[in-house]
DNA sequence: GTTCGGATAAACACGC
DNA sequence: TGCGTGTTTATCCGAA
């Protein structure tokens, strides 16, 4: 195959390795939205939340790291809002928002969206959600696939290329770590993946912003149309 | 116009 | 041998 570039492309991994993760690592310094009311998304979709989350977690596995309090809900590290399954609906592409309003008036997103829309989440965010949603906070690639198709019907019918993208993201991003299973230290089937703790806040921030942008859009749309 | 992040495709290696 | 997994490279596109 003929190469069209004389030099390395601007964002070639060789030219700018891990630039995505570096960007992520910078993002915690980004300003926080003043009022992110993520908890008001509709609840429960494919699996009843009670089925998934009412049971005691594995040891050390309080899903949100600590008992839920008001301050916890605002904590950047708290994912309790994520575990309301309705939050994970497939959403429309995000609007461009330059300024963040101080108040939100969210409405259920199912009223506006088709379940077959492509989710606005990046693959990194999808992987992050999948792993965070697992009791052990670690998943094999297959488990990540499964979580995505379970939660986003779009990927149920999408061609298989997205799986390649998932693997590509896992390999390329510093945000995710491969955990070798006991014996097989080499590349092969069955490695587990987890979120690097140091990148978790950044991933969470990206996710919250995605929610926030869509949320705001839905709210505005609701007020304008309905 | 440039840079960057993300998505996608493809090739390849490896292990089961 | 085939398939799934993991890595790497290349390219395209949209946004900043």
């Amino acid at each position: 195959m003929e190469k069209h570039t004389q030099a390395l492309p601007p964002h070639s991994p060789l030219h700018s390795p891990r630039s995505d993760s570096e960007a992520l690592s910078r993002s915690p310094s980004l300003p926080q939205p003043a009022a992110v009311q993520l908890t008001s998304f509709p609840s429960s979709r494919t699996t009843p939340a009670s089925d998934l989350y009412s049971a005691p977690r594995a040891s050390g596995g309080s899903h949100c790291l600590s008992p839920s309090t008001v301050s916890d809900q605002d904590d950047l590290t708290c994912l309790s809002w994520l575990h309301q399954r309705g939050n994970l609906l497939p959403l429309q592409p995000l609007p461009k928002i330059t300024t963040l309003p101080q108040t939100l008036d969210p409405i259920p997103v199912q009223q506006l969206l088709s379940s077959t829309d492509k989710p606005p989440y990046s693959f990194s965010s999808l992987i992050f959600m999948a792993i965070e949603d697992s009791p052990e906070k670690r998943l094999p690639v297959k488990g990540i696939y499964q979580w995505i198709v379970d939660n986003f019907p779009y990927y149920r019918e999408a061609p298989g290329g997205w799986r390649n993208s998932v693997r590509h993201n896992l390999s390329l991003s510093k945000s995710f770590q491969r955990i070798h299973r006991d014996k097989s230290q080499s590349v092969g089937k069955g490695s587990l993946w987890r979120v690097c703790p140091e990148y978790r806040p950044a991933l969470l921030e990206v996710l919250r912003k995605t929610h926030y942008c869509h949320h705001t859009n839905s709210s505005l749309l609701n007020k304008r149309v309905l």
Side-chain angles (χ1 to χ4, degrees), chain A residues 33 35-42 73-75 78-82 84 86-87 104 106 121 204-205 207-216:
Chain A
V36 183
Q37 300 176 1
L38 293 164
T39 54
S40 52
F41 274 99
Q73 297 301 319
D74 294 332
D75 189 338
C78 180
L79 273 174
S80 61
W81 56 271
L82 171 63
Q84 296 183 353
N87 289 357
L104 296 173
Y121 304 104
L204 186 54
E205 176 69 8
L207 199 51
R208 293 184 71 146
K209 283 180 182 298
T210 303
H211 269 288
Y212 183 88
C213 290
H214 175 75
H215 216 187
T216 303

Side-chain angles (χ1 to χ4, degrees), chain A residues 48-58 61-63 135:
Chain A
S50 57
D51 292 351
L52 287 167
Y53 305 112
S54 59
R57 290 281 169 182
S62 69
H63 215 124

Side-chain angles (χ1 to χ4, degrees), chain A residues 146-193:
Chain A
Q146 192 58 52
W147 186 93
I148 290 174
V149 298
D150 282 349
N151 288 280
F152 297 99
Y154 169 84
Y155 290 107
R156 235 169 270 162
E157 293 154 17
W162 66 271
R163 289 181 172 84
N164 192 11
S165 296
V166 167
R167 296 196 306 274
H168 169 82
N169 264 269
L170 286 168
S171 285
L172 202 65
S173 176
K174 275 182 179 173
S175 306
F176 307 110
Q177 274 183 336
R178 189 155 64 98
I179 303 169
H180 296 285
R181 281 175 174 168
D182 292 340
K183 285 186 175 180
S184 58
Q185 296 291 312
S186 56
V187 174
K189 294 180 182 178
S191 291
L192 295 171
W193 292 86

Side-chain angles (χ1 to χ4, degrees), chain A residues 79-163:
Chain A
L79 273 174
S80 61
W81 56 271
L82 171 63
H83 298 108
Q84 296 183 353
R85 284 307 192 100
N87 289 357
L88 305 177
L89 288 166
L91 306 176
Q92 287 177 333
L94 295 176
K96 219 179 196 175
I97 294 178
T98 54
T99 57
L100 300 177
Q102 295 303 303
T103 60
L104 296 173
D105 185 18
I107 62 171
V109 290
Q110 305 106 308
Q111 294 177 9
L112 300 172
L113 305 178
S114 159
S115 64
T116 54
D117 287 338
K118 186 177 183 180
Y121 304 104
S122 68
F123 281 110
S124 292
S125 291
L126 291 173
I127 295 166
F128 174 60
M129 287 189 283
I131 294 173
E132 288 293 319
D133 200 30
S134 67
E136 304 294 331
K137 297 288 189 290
R138 59 190 66 184
L139 278 179
V141 172
K142 209 167 187 175
I144 295 172
Y145 296 159
Q146 192 58 52
W147 186 93
I148 290 174
V149 298
D150 282 349
N151 288 280
F152 297 99
Y154 169 84
Y155 290 107
R156 235 169 270 162
E157 293 154 17
W162 66 271
R163 289 181 172 84

